[in-house]
Amino acid sequence: MRQRYYLKCIGCGGEYDPERILYTCPKCGDLLSCEYDYSRLPSDLRGIWGERTLSVWRYLEMLPIEDRRGEIISLGEGGTTLNRCRRLQKEFGLRNIYVKNEGENPTGSFKDRGMTVGVTRALQLNMESVICASTGNTSASLAAYAAKAGLTCIVLIPSGKVALGKLVQAIIHGARVIQVRGNFDAALRIARRLSEKHPLYLLNSLNPYRLEGQKTIAYEIVDQLGEAPDKVIVPVGNAGNISAIWKGFKELRTLGFIDNLPEMIGIQAEGAAPIAQAFRRGLDGMRPVEDPETVATAIRIGAPVNWKKAFQALKESNGFMETVSDDEILEAQSLLAAKEGLFVEPASASSIAGLRKLASSKSIDKNERVVCVVTGHGLKDPDIVLRQSPKMIEVDADLESIERIIMIG
Ligand code: F0G
């Protein structure tokens, strides 16, 4: 009998024992996906899930982990708020806008959803060390979960290009932080090689187990809305998250929880947009961007490893890609903070910048129900805000001078 879950190659369709440590297909080298034997699911899944709080682990039966000895490494990930954004709606001339605030996760980004699964997996495989390359959030998250699990954590980051808050997180959680003179793509190539040569468990989004955790964004959105939205807008870097979310929606349809699927819309920064460029060419293959550059350092990626899965998501969902400039990203960041009380990092604001652009080009109908995923907390990158803000006022400690300033406005 087939196991409850197994690994399947998205290219040649080869199936593999989930106990093997594989990141890509041993036959053809393509990406792997975690698949489930639906006939082995409990019949009252809805009832079982309904009794648990909204979180990644609500969906245990559709995750590739056996909770044998209560060994799940959790910091309380998922269960993030789906904010109805009425002031933003008004600003953009739309009527049904929601923002899924992934900054509420334990280390302040959606990566925690993947790491709770991925690090638990590392422990169950008896690995002692974990490794990732990162633009910041993956390393912050992996460092925290590795600390909780008692694992050694090695992170490779592009030198000088990681936001301060994320760097500080990796350091305080005790990771061995190695700055690489090169960009994220170069760091990931080395991390992959290292994981092949040494007993280091790789926790980049190439790891299909990690993506399983991230698909719970889709599960939660459906639980929160009662159905699938019309469109989901996601910032795209290495393209793991958009693929994972799409997989989540497809599974919910297979399970009979939803009838309709949303269109997936990926947003990239203009200076780091290989998938958006491929989309304009009709998805004829991926040409890497050699020197990606954007203020949204989290998505400063030129050679996304999950591009094939992202292409599938775009094709199957009838979705599309859009690009936004750095100025548009920073404007959207300020707008979301000022209108909705949500402070997100620049990469996350790209989904809001994308929404604004698509609303003004009428690519979104005003009645459509749209969910923007904002992926990381604004405090991760405080420098960018200070760099943009006017100089702060400083006065003597007396009533009149402060009154004068307040009255002037
Ligand atoms: N938003 C934020 C805040 C991110 O940190 C990332 C990726 C993304 C969006 C894009 O997600 O790669 O799945 O398409 N950050 C990775 C990191 C690359 O190392 O932290 P993706």
Side-chain angles (χ1 to χ4, degrees), residues 81-85 97-101 104 340 342 374:
T81 308
L82 187 66
N83 298 271
R84 179 73 186 270
C85 292
I97 301 306
Y98 296 81
V99 168
K100 180 82 168 149
N101 185 13
E104 290 173 10
E340 297 290 348
L342 297 173
V374 295

Side-chain angles (χ1 to χ4, degrees), residues 110-111 134-138 235-241 298-299 301 345 347 375:
F110 71 98
K111 306 287 180 180
S134 180
T135 56
N137 282 321
T138 298
V236 172
N238 223 5
N241 209 29
I299 52 171
I301 293 174
E345 67 167 285
T375 42

Side-chain angles (χ1 to χ4, degrees), residues 57-279:
W57 294 105
R58 166 182 263 192
Y59 312 105
L60 176 66
E61 289 73 12
M62 283 297 287
L63 291 172
I65 295 287
E66 306 299 347
D67 187 17
R68 290 181 293 251
R69 297 178 292 272
E71 61 203 359
I72 286 174
I73 300 298
S74 173
L75 294 167
E77 45 293 314
T80 58
T81 308
L82 187 66
N83 298 271
R84 179 73 186 270
C85 292
R86 293 183 198 279
R87 303 227 301 146
L88 205 65
Q89 284 173 198
K90 205 163 161 221
E91 185 79 21
F92 296 169
L94 301 169
R95 291 189 182 149
N96 265 309
I97 301 306
Y98 296 81
V99 168
K100 180 82 168 149
N101 185 13
E102 289 296 295
E104 290 173 10
N105 277 297
T107 76
S109 85
F110 71 98
K111 306 287 180 180
D112 297 341
R113 292 179 184 272
M115 290 309 174
T116 184
V117 176
V119 171
T120 300
R121 170 85 184 144
L123 260 193
Q124 293 187 338
L125 289 167
N126 296 318
M127 300 297 288
E128 287 170 6
S129 305
V130 288
I131 187 169
C132 72
S134 180
T135 56
N137 282 321
T138 298
S139 57
S141 181
L142 182 57
Y145 283 83
K148 172 108 179 163
L151 301 176
T152 301
C153 175
I154 300 165
V155 304
L156 309 185
I157 57 170
S159 195
K161 291 290 184 181
V162 169
L164 188 67
K166 306 174 189 181
L167 195 60
V168 168
Q169 287 178 291
I171 292 169
I172 195 74
H173 291 304
R176 291 184 62 189
V177 180
I178 301 170
Q179 300 200 73
V180 177
R181 283 189 215 98
N183 59 28
F184 168 84
D185 305 299
L188 180 54
R189 273 194 296 274
I190 297 167
R192 285 179 73 169
R193 289 283 311 282
L194 288 169
S195 71
E196 284 158 14
K197 282 184 73 176
H198 305 281
L200 299 167
Y201 192 57
L202 182 68
L203 274 163
N204 280 101
S205 55
L206 205 57
N207 185 317
Y209 287 81
R210 213 195 90 182
L211 291 183
E212 289 303 288
Q214 290 175 210
K215 78 183 179 188
T216 59
I217 292 177
Y219 282 57
E220 287 187 9
I221 290 172
V222 167
D223 269 343
Q224 288 168 312
L225 283 180
E227 60 184 328
D230 298 305
K231 289 185 163 69
V232 178
I233 307 186
V234 191
V236 172
N238 223 5
N241 209 29
I242 191 169
S243 317
I245 296 172
W246 174 240
K247 183 172 186 285
F249 283 115
K250 280 199 300 183
E251 288 175 351
L252 291 170
R253 192 177 60 174
T254 307
L255 288 167
F257 283 42
I258 50 174
D259 298 322
N260 300 318
L261 291 167
E263 283 172 37
M264 300 299 297
I265 303 173
I267 310 293
Q268 290 194 301
E270 272 172 9
I275 297 186
Q277 286 163 8
F279 184 80

Side-chain angles (χ1 to χ4, degrees), residues 302-354:
V305 288
N306 290 300
W307 64 271
K308 268 200 186 167
K309 285 187 178 174
F311 281 20
Q312 270 184 4
L314 294 167
K315 283 183 198 158
E316 290 173 2
S317 75
N318 201 19
F320 56 94
M321 295 291 300
E322 184 56 271
T323 56
V324 288
S325 69
D326 281 1
D327 284 348
E328 287 168 336
I329 289 173
L330 295 175
E331 272 168 35
Q333 183 190 31
S334 301
L335 194 69
L336 189 65
K339 295 274 178 198
E340 297 290 348
L342 297 173
F343 180 26
V344 304
E345 67 167 285
S348 310
S350 69
S351 62
I352 306 300

